[in-house]
Amino acid sequence: MFWKHPSENRKLKQVKKTVYLSLGSNLGDRAQNLLTAIEKLGGIGQVVATSSFYETEPVDVTAQPWFLNCAVKFDTEKMPRQLIAAILNLEQEMGRQRKQQKAPRIIDIDILLFGSSIIQIPTLTVPHPKMHERRFVLEPLAEIAGEARHPVFKRTVRELRDALPPGQTVRKLPKS
């Protein structure tokens, strides 16, 4: 008879992390693109909450169609590298082509917050480096996570949104 250390009999328990995502689309049936992406995210983790859809004017490259945006609260057991790889794969499955930065796109999914982590790896920076400047991100995010704290600025999403200067048209669409 062989003795086994008790830890050898235990399986490692995966820890769920709460992640906030920003989704956007400005090509094709924008609402359906967002709904499809939200459904497909269910294969990567668990969608806990989804904001309303917001119609938003393009930022940076303005000569393109307006976007529909939303925010998603998402629970996952994936680590950051695994999650960004899965998201990029999902975007590609939906037809996203990355030929030019800021170009019109069927779907764009950004990781805004990953728990309270600060992440800087070649393929991912969290918190999203421009989220605090973007009304099209903060408006939907404030709807589902107004009290979530930015781990660098130590301010809530609602405080960041309220500190934005005027501009950036963001219109909340009625739920259908």
Side-chain angles (χ1 to χ4, degrees):
M1 183 164 169
F2 292 99
W3 181 81
K4 276 188 165 183
H5 190 277
S7 66
E8 291 178 31
N9 293 328
R10 284 190 235 149
K11 292 193 177 200
L12 291 176
K13 185 179 177 202
Q14 294 287 339
V15 177
K16 284 190 178 174
K17 282 82 72 192
T18 297
V19 178
Y20 291 98
L21 306 173
S22 175
L23 282 66
S25 174
N26 73 339
L27 288 179
D29 185 338
R30 302 171 305 164
Q32 188 56 54
N33 293 340
L34 293 180
L35 291 170
T36 299
I38 292 164
E39 181 182 324
K40 287 179 176 283
L41 283 167
I44 301 171
Q46 181 183 7
V47 175
V48 178
T50 304
S51 74
S52 301
F53 289 178
Y54 291 76
E55 189 166 44
T56 65
E57 67 180 318
V59 175
D60 297 329
V61 178
T62 57
Q64 61 179 313
W66 281 45
F67 283 84
L68 272 191
N69 291 95
C70 70
V72 170
K73 181 179 182 181
F74 184 73
D75 284 345
T76 185
E77 294 178 351
K78 294 193 178 299
M79 296 305 289
R81 280 188 174 89
Q82 296 170 313
L83 181 59
I84 192 63
I87 286 172
L88 292 172
N89 188 50
L90 187 158
E91 288 180 340
Q92 190 174 17
E93 280 177 18
M94 288 185 63
R96 168 106 189 245
Q97 297 178 2
R98 294 178 179 271
K99 294 180 179 174
Q100 173 187 348
Q101 268 199 331
K102 309 288 183 193
R105 45 211 175 264
I106 289 171
I107 193 68
D108 182 35
I109 304 172
D110 290 329
I111 300 173
L112 302 174
L113 299 169
F114 195 101
S116 59
S117 298
I118 297 171
I119 303 162
Q120 286 194 299
I121 57 176
T123 55
L124 180 64
T125 300
V126 176
H128 189 284
K130 294 203 177 230
M131 72 176 272
H132 64 285
E133 300 171 357
R134 295 180 168 169
R135 189 172 303 279
F136 71 86
V137 168
L138 294 174
E139 207 61 61
L141 186 57
E143 182 183 326
I144 62 169
E147 297 308 311
R149 232 170 242 291
H150 191 290
V152 174
F153 299 128
K154 309 292 187 212
R155 297 174 74 193
T156 67
V157 168
R158 189 169 289 112
E159 289 169 336
L160 292 171
R161 181 204 58 198
D162 293 348
L164 286 172
Q168 293 184 5
T169 302
V170 175
R171 290 190 295 259
K172 183 176 178 177
L173 300 181
K175 294 237 182 191
S176 49

